[in-house]
Amino acid sequence: MTQQADPARPSEMAKSYDPRATEDRVYRFWETRGYFKPRPNDARPPFCIIMPPPNVTGELHVGHALTDTVEDILIRWHRMLGDPTLWVPGVDHAGIATQNVVEKQLAKEGLTRHDLGREEFERRVWQWVDRYRPIIANQHRRLGASADWSSEVFTLDETPQRAVRTLFKKLHDDGLIYRGERMINWCPRCRTALSDLEVEHEDQPGNLWHIRYPIVDGHDAEGRPHVGEDSMVVATTRPETFVGDVAVAVNPADERYRDRIGRTVLLPVIQREIPIVGDEATEMEFGTGALKVTPGHDPVDFEIAQRVGLPIINVMNLDATLNTEAGPYAGMDRYEARQVILRDLEELGYLVKVEPHDMTIGVCSRCHTVVEPLMSWQWFVNQRALAQPAIDAVRDGRITFVPERFERIYLNWMENIRDWCVSRQLWWGHRIPVWYSADDDGDRIAVTYRDPAAGSNAAPITGTYNELRAQGITHEQILAHATWSGVEATPIVAIETPERSPSGGGHLLQENDVLDTWFSSGLWPLSTLGWPDDTPALRTWYPTSVMETGYDIIFLWVARMIMLGLYNVGQIPYSVVYLHGTVRNEHGQRMSKSLGTGIDPLEIVEQYGADALRYTLITSSGPGNDLRLSEQRVEAGRNFANKLWNAARFVISMIGEGTVRLPEALPPAGSPLEDRWILSRVEGLVRSVDEQMGKFELGEAARQVYEFVWGEFADWYIEIAKVRVRADVPSGPSPLPVLAYVLERCLRLLHPVMPFVTEEIWQALAAKIEDTEPEALIVAPYPRGESGYADAGAEREMALIIDVVRAVRNIRAEKKVEPARFIEAYVAADGARGVIEAGRAYVETLARVRPLHVVASVADAPRNQVAKAVLEGATAVVPLAGLFDLDAERGRLSKLIAEAEAEAGRIAAKLDNAGFRAKAPAKIIATEEERLAAARTRLDGLRATLDELA
RNA sequence: GGGCGAUUAGCUCAGCCGGCUAGAGCGUCUCGCUUACACCGAGAAGGUCGCAGGUUCGAGUCCUGCAUCGCCCACCA
């Protein structure tokens, strides 16, 4: 690659890192070079992540940025480890959510989807999709996501469509999907059934109304009931449903009501006679102990009705207005009806009491409308049969969760799983692959036909298919302008859209409903890789490696992928489920567009750079925990990128026009202490990062690199290197190879977290290094700790030099020595004289000491008007002359002595404890003994110093 | 009603198998434009790790109970 043609190589390094001048260019460099595509490597296991597909509903929010960050870190890490690595991006059609946003858009034009008709409406939604898909993909790119864009999938693409139909057919053939009339959650605003998981529960203050139902004491000649004084009082939170009551239930064990079981009551207003029944589900302590049974609108009541054998009355229309069963209340909205009914009951003397009662109500997770439980014909998937293998897979450890605790949550849900209502009365989504034959079942298909010429207010024509045809309405007109229900007809289930029914008829009506979005999502690890076809991709990448997503969709998504993966191909979809938390804003609020509490990730990228955002997201919290995104932290991330940039700028400018050769072998024993030290430290860092990454402790790994780069490499090694390259220092080996080597290691370690700045620097640095192996950092091997540079002795010795520098600096600051002024100092270090002597030049420069006297013992240093710092292995003595303040020095020493005494006392107490000596590991005891000795030495030194002051 | 998580410096959080003299960033204070970086450097102050018990030689870390906040699950109308 030539220098001019290389889009990733900056011509010169600016004074500070500018993400805006870098990120797009570097991303294009990676993408055009094809680095995001998997590279074959037989020696390594494949690594694959299927990206959770964001909804096409709009732009990405910070939660997606967290997903991208975590996944991209894992992907980049594995790519650098040499694994064949694939990250599959995708987008979700998000049935109900997308339909809602497009309907909202239509509403602004004064239109409903019914004004457009199904086909035209779908066209509108596709326009929306076409607009947002590229926006979303571009946002991923801005965040640095190294996904293989050539493999991007949309949930309504051809293959996922076929996957959905294939699964549906298989479930149907196995008897695991069925059509039935069940009690479901109905959203009156979205006008569709919902699964249990799409209902959110909210606590709300409400009332418990006590209503009196008179007991029937006889009938007249025509059989009309007659009531007396006696009555039953029921307690309810939903008085408006009394029109649908079919019984009053009491607990059979309830002495108060036992003898009333078998009698009947008369519903006020409605004048319907209903029985008093006994059922154990009735709580004696609650309310009056008598329960009005409304099986059409309450799941508990429904079960009672099933047990006792009661009819079911549906009193509600699909828009939550009362229907004709409600008599005088027909046509009223449910809440309006509540008020009117309460007023009537009160006027008629049937309302006995009202008491406040808090309750939990279900609301639609998409629009927050109160959900209505009602009986409805829907398609259901039997979950029990699918659940067992999915339970086993987690129990036996084939699938593990990070963090572990989510395993129990998953299992608990799986073990109590209930059937899944999968049909949705929407227009946007995977249409259920079921057809009805009008030729064979024309009398059993109920059709509602809206004549487009008649205007939208005209009443629809209803009847069976055959009846409508008899009225001259054509099959094509029905297809275009009608809805139908084939609950009594025979379903024809097929993968390919059938042309004819089994009996040969050509008039087919496909099921109106679409499938729950999560039905196709549950197939995602399979359908993205080509299933139901047996593709090379499927064989290579399935089962995938890690499923990384938010813990909030364990049931909605993760559980279903596991069930369906095992059901379809008998294999788990992935072996690790890594769950991240919810991103909140600085005030701990959930991100919400409607509340205006959302944060646009691209605005942060624009201002601080993608690397800063990524670093912040990954270090702000641990796996599974929520995090608050604060701008200050992003700023810190930005500063870190800049720090790295400038450290690199220094190294590169030092190399100048020439090039440098990296150290090839262990540093020889004679090489400078600081070289052996930093090489040992970087080796330790590499090992630790490797370990943390392996445990999915990505944030901890990033923090460790940060600490190293800033606190050790920049603060100490670079500062020392400056001294070394200056002319006034005795000549020795150049620090350049070590500088370049350590920087290069850091860039590799950090690349998964901060890909842009590291690649940009690396390209510049690589040009200065002889025999650079890979052509880009993104594909450079990730360090794993095999350099052999570990050197505990060097680390100990260097720690002493750092201690001495710090001690002198501390004294200088406390005594207010002018920063620029050089002062004389002594270091007494009997055993470590050589070490200090070797580091003399660094201590002198870094602590601004000149001259530095290295002596054997404190006795060889001045005693009067000096400040002393007693360190482990050395004592620093700083003569202060005019700056010396006896009282202040006494105070300073007394405080240090007190601290040292406390510490020595604590350790001594521990060591004196017989139990500790008997039971603690020898290594710990030895450490404690060393620490005690050190503390005592320090204490002695400090005491002696104080005594001398007297 | 059941379960889970959080509670550590003024703020936001680390502290992963118990050995800590409890860390970081931001903020605060005192200095300093020293030719990589003021998106910086040097130094400092600041915490009885929510409360109460317990296990242990040793507990921020494990156990029990409680409190506060948050979340999830759940058919008491």
Side-chain angles (χ1 to χ4, degrees):
Chain A
M1 73 189 183
T2 66
Q3 193 139 350
Q4 290 81 359
D6 181 355
R9 184 166 295 165
S11 51
E12 64 180 54
M13 292 185 78
K15 188 168 176 179
S16 57
Y17 172 62
D18 182 4
R20 273 177 290 198
T22 307
E23 293 178 355
D24 286 349
R25 175 170 41 81
V26 170
Y27 195 92
R28 276 199 307 275
F29 165 69
W30 292 326
E31 195 174 7
T32 55
R33 298 248 176 163
Y35 293 133
F36 303 160
K37 292 189 191 306
R39 317 175 119 208
N41 180 354
D42 291 341
R44 299 280 310 177
F47 184 82
C48 176
I49 294 179
I50 308 292
M51 181 190 287
N55 293 350
V56 268
T57 44
E59 310 196 355
L60 300 186
H61 53 71
V62 198
H64 295 114
L66 176 60
T67 301
D68 279 12
T69 299
V70 175
E71 291 173 25
D72 197 41
I73 289 172
L74 293 172
I75 286 288
R76 285 177 187 270
W77 179 48
H78 280 273
R79 188 184 290 123
M80 290 174 80
L81 288 174
D83 301 346
T85 301
L86 176 67
W87 190 12
V88 181
V91 183
D92 196 312
H93 69 282
I96 188 165
T98 308
Q99 176 156 330
N100 280 352
V101 295
V102 175
E103 283 192 299
K104 235 176 229 173
Q105 196 192 35
L106 285 177
K108 285 183 195 155
E109 304 168 32
L111 294 171
T112 70
R113 70 178 201 261
H114 301 282
D115 295 324
L116 299 186
R118 187 162 184 159
E119 239 177 84
E120 180 55 25
F121 178 74
E122 282 183 41
R123 235 194 309 280
R124 289 291 289 257
V125 186
W126 274 108
Q127 280 173 14
W128 178 281
V129 171
D130 291 340
R131 188 169 128 223
Y132 275 98
R133 272 189 71 176
I135 293 176
I136 289 168
N138 193 44
Q139 285 179 309
H140 287 303
R141 287 182 168 95
R142 294 287 305 275
L143 290 162
S146 61
D148 179 11
W149 294 104
S150 68
S151 65
E152 191 190 342
V153 189
F154 183 53
T155 50
L156 287 173
D157 283 350
E158 197 272 331
T159 300
Q161 290 266 13
R162 215 146 33 80
V164 162
R165 288 182 170 197
T166 303
L167 168 62
F168 192 99
K169 177 116 176 42
K170 182 170 156 68
L171 285 166
H172 191 264
D173 292 349
D174 290 347
L176 294 173
I177 203 163
Y178 62 93
R179 199 174 42 170
E181 190 178 28
R182 294 290 180 90
M183 179 148 295
I184 47 90
N185 307 291
W186 181 265
C187 175
R189 201 219 61 85
C190 300
R191 299 281 177 92
T192 180
L194 303 172
S195 69
D196 295 340
L197 292 173
E198 290 165 299
V199 176
E200 289 174 7
H201 299 276
E202 285 182 3
D203 289 332
Q204 269 196 0
N207 288 314
L208 197 56
W209 285 279
H210 294 241
I211 303 170
R212 192 168 62 83
Y213 289 173
I215 291 179
V216 173
D217 59 4
H219 296 82
D220 65 14
E222 280 90 50
R224 285 192 295 258
H226 176 269
V227 300
E229 291 298 300
D230 205 6
S231 60
M232 289 293 290
V233 177
V234 297
T236 180
T237 56
R238 299 202 62 192
E240 69 276 13
T241 64
F242 97 101
V243 294
D245 286 3
V246 297
V248 169
V250 297
N251 195 304
D254 195 335
E255 307 252 331
R256 293 172 295 179
Y257 302 123
R258 189 179 289 167
D259 57 351
R260 299 198 175 175
I261 294 171
R263 301 190 65 184
T264 59
V265 297
L266 192 62
L267 282 182
V269 187
I270 298 289
Q271 299 293 305
R272 183 161 65 231
E273 191 178 353
I274 59 174
I276 298 169
V277 300
D279 190 279
E280 314 258 326
T282 314
E283 296 281 337
M284 290 186 274
E285 295 75 26
F286 189 89
T288 61
L291 166 69
K292 65 191 265 308
V293 181
T294 322
H297 299 279
D298 185 284
V300 179
D301 294 9
F302 175 78
E303 280 169 29
I304 295 173
Q306 294 288 294
R307 278 196 292 268
V308 181
L310 295 163
I312 294 159
I313 301 175
N314 177 17
V315 301
M316 231 171 274
N317 296 311
L318 296 181
D319 59 357
T321 58
L322 297 193
N323 66 19
T324 51
E325 292 283 353
Y329 308 109
M332 291 182 191
D333 172 78
R334 53 188 167 168
Y335 294 117
E336 182 196 357
R338 175 180 295 179
Q339 296 313 313
V340 176
I341 284 169
L342 284 169
R343 198 193 60 209
D344 287 356
L345 290 175
E346 186 164 25
E347 275 174 12
L348 296 169
Y350 294 114
L351 186 59
V352 179
K353 190 165 98 174
V354 186
E355 55 184 1
H357 175 72
D358 293 340
M359 54 182 196
T360 308
I361 50 148
V363 300
C364 170
S365 62
R366 282 294 153 199
C367 71
H368 285 85
T369 302
V370 176
V371 159
E372 194 63 46
L374 50 79
M375 297 299 294
S376 176
W377 281 93
Q378 301 287 344
W379 290 90
F380 297 88
V381 175
N382 178 334
Q383 299 273 266
R384 284 228 168 263
L386 302 181
Q388 196 52 52
I391 291 169
D392 296 341
V394 170
R395 280 253 176 77
D396 65 24
R398 274 176 292 152
I399 297 175
T400 55
F401 282 70
V402 180
E404 232 171 56
R405 67 185 138 92
F406 289 108
E407 215 165 279
R408 283 200 307 282
I409 293 171
Y410 166 92
L411 287 172
N412 185 49
W413 184 77
M414 273 292 188
E415 282 158 4
N416 298 291
I417 200 161
R418 287 185 299 175
D419 284 2
W420 174 18
C421 173
V422 290
S423 44
R424 296 288 176 276
Q425 289 63 55
L426 305 170
W427 286 356
W428 178 244
H430 292 270
R431 197 152 169 181
I432 291 177
V434 167
W435 289 262
Y436 302 106
S437 168
D439 304 297
D440 302 321
D441 278 332
D443 290 326
R444 292 189 284 182
I445 301 172
V447 180
T448 302
Y449 177 75
R450 289 174 187 276
D451 185 352
S456 53
N457 290 330
I461 304 166
T462 60
T464 67
Y465 178 85
N466 284 347
E467 284 165 2
L468 267 67
R469 288 296 299 276
Q471 291 178 41
I473 300 167
T474 66
H475 181 73
E476 285 65 36
Q477 284 175 308
I478 289 173
L479 281 182
H481 304 294
T483 57
W484 48 85
S485 162
V487 294
E488 291 176 33
T490 306
I492 300 161
V493 181
I495 294 168
E496 298 295 331
T497 302
E499 299 280 325
R500 320 214 139 260
S501 75
S503 69
H507 295 108
L508 294 170
L509 298 171
Q510 187 175 2
E511 180 71 68
N512 289 295
D513 295 350
V514 301
L515 288 161
D516 183 359
T517 286
W518 298 101
F519 191 91
S520 60
S521 308
L523 285 168
W524 206 228
L526 286 166
S527 58
T528 48
L529 297 173
W531 190 84
D533 298 330
D534 182 19
T535 62
L538 192 66
R539 281 197 296 266
T540 308
W541 306 107
Y542 193 95
T544 66
S545 312
V546 177
M547 171 44 60
E548 194 281 337
T549 189
Y551 64 69
D552 51 332
I553 51 174
I554 295 177
F555 310 141
L556 279 168
W557 195 37
V558 176
R560 278 154 182 178
M561 284 187 281
I562 296 174
M563 285 192 282
L564 296 180
L566 286 162
Y567 175 65
N568 283 318
V569 299
Q571 282 187 74
I572 54 169
Y574 30 71
S575 46
V576 175
V577 178
Y578 176 103
L579 296 161
H580 64 247
T582 306
V583 184
R584 294 159 188 282
N585 66 14
E586 266 160 299
H587 312 290
Q589 295 166 303
R590 249 197 154 83
M591 301 284 172
S592 158
K593 231 182 222 174
S594 51
L595 293 175
T597 52
I599 297 175
D600 179 358
L602 288 204
E603 269 176 36
I604 298 176
V605 168
E606 194 58 37
Q607 202 176 345
Y608 298 101
D611 292 327
L613 176 60
R614 291 166 61 115
Y615 178 80
T616 306
L617 287 171
I618 204 62
T619 55
S620 286
S621 162
N625 289 334
D626 291 353
L627 71 90
R628 293 190 192 198
L629 185 63
S630 88
E631 196 160 334
Q632 284 187 336
R633 276 191 94 129
V634 183
E635 216 170 292
R638 189 262 326 253
N639 293 351
F640 179 46
N642 187 242
K643 184 74 182 180
L644 192 66
W645 176 263
N646 271 290
R649 197 158 75 98
F650 172 75
V651 173
I652 289 165
S653 73
M654 282 303 205
I655 298 170
E657 294 303 307
T659 56
V660 71
R661 177 170 286 277
L662 295 184
E664 270 165 19
L666 288 168
S671 65
L673 170 62
E674 64 274 12
D675 286 6
R676 288 178 283 125
W677 168 72
I678 199 73
L679 290 171
S680 176
R681 295 297 293 168
V682 83
E683 173 69 4
L685 174 71
V686 163
R687 287 172 185 273
S688 179
V689 166
D690 185 56
E691 192 189 328
Q692 298 298 339
M693 296 291 279
K695 288 193 292 186
F696 292 92
E697 292 283 352
L698 313 181
E700 184 55 27
R703 270 188 292 272
Q704 286 179 3
V705 184
Y706 178 105
E707 296 296 333
F708 176 83
V709 167
W710 205 311
E712 302 195 52
F713 184 55
D715 285 352
W716 294 99
Y717 190 78
I718 288 184
E719 291 307 314
I720 287 173
K722 284 180 188 171
V723 180
R724 271 168 69 179
V725 295
R726 271 188 204 142
D728 57 341
V729 167
S731 62
S734 163
L736 283 175
V738 175
L739 278 169
Y741 171 82
V742 174
L743 174 61
E744 209 267 353
R745 292 290 105 175
C746 291
L747 294 174
R748 291 192 192 208
L749 290 176
L750 209 50
H751 180 261
V753 178
M754 306 179 86
F756 291 111
V757 68
T758 51
E759 180 75 73
E760 179 81 337
I761 294 170
W762 193 89
Q763 291 292 337
L765 181 66
K768 301 285 180 192
I769 296 175
E770 291 171 31
D771 306 326
T772 311
E773 193 54 67
E775 55 186 10
L777 179 57
I778 187 173
V779 289
Y782 202 78
R784 303 203 64 179
E786 57 283 305
S787 70
Y789 286 156
D791 184 341
E795 295 204 22
R796 249 193 328 271
E797 292 175 2
M798 189 64 196
L800 180 61
I801 291 189
I802 289 173
D803 274 355
V804 167
V805 171
R806 286 205 168 123
V808 175
R809 282 172 172 175
N810 179 317
I811 290 167
R812 292 179 61 113
E814 278 194 22
K815 304 304 172 191
K816 311 236 182 291
V817 176
E818 301 103 89
R821 190 173 133 197
F822 279 87
I823 56 169
E824 191 178 21
Y826 293 77
V827 174
D830 190 23
R833 255 177 105 172
V835 173
I836 304 292
E837 198 62 63
R840 159 191 298 282
Y842 315 136
V843 175
E844 285 184 342
T845 308
L846 300 180
R848 299 232 133 207
V849 169
R850 198 164 292 162
L852 175 72
H853 307 280
V854 182
V855 295
S857 86
V858 278
D860 303 321
R863 296 171 185 216
N864 293 323
Q865 305 210 324
V866 298
K868 277 188 200 167
V870 182
L871 310 166
E872 270 175 53
T875 300
V877 180
V878 182
L880 289 163
L883 293 167
F884 189 75
D885 177 334
L886 185 62
D887 287 340
E889 188 60 14
R890 275 201 189 117
R892 188 180 76 95
L893 286 168
S894 302
K895 195 177 148 213
L896 290 171
I897 287 168
E899 280 172 12
E901 275 172 346
E903 193 191 341
R906 207 170 26 241
I907 303 170
K910 191 185 278 190
L911 285 166
D912 287 348
N913 185 325
F916 177 74
R917 290 228 176 253
K919 295 184 182 173
K923 199 179 157 192
I924 298 290
I925 295 173
T927 312
E928 293 296 322
E929 277 171 345
E930 276 171 37
R931 283 176 45 202
L932 180 60
R936 285 193 170 143
T937 309
R938 196 146 41 88
L939 192 54
D940 290 346
L942 287 165
R943 280 183 177 142
T945 310
L946 186 62
D947 290 344
E948 281 172 17
L949 284 179

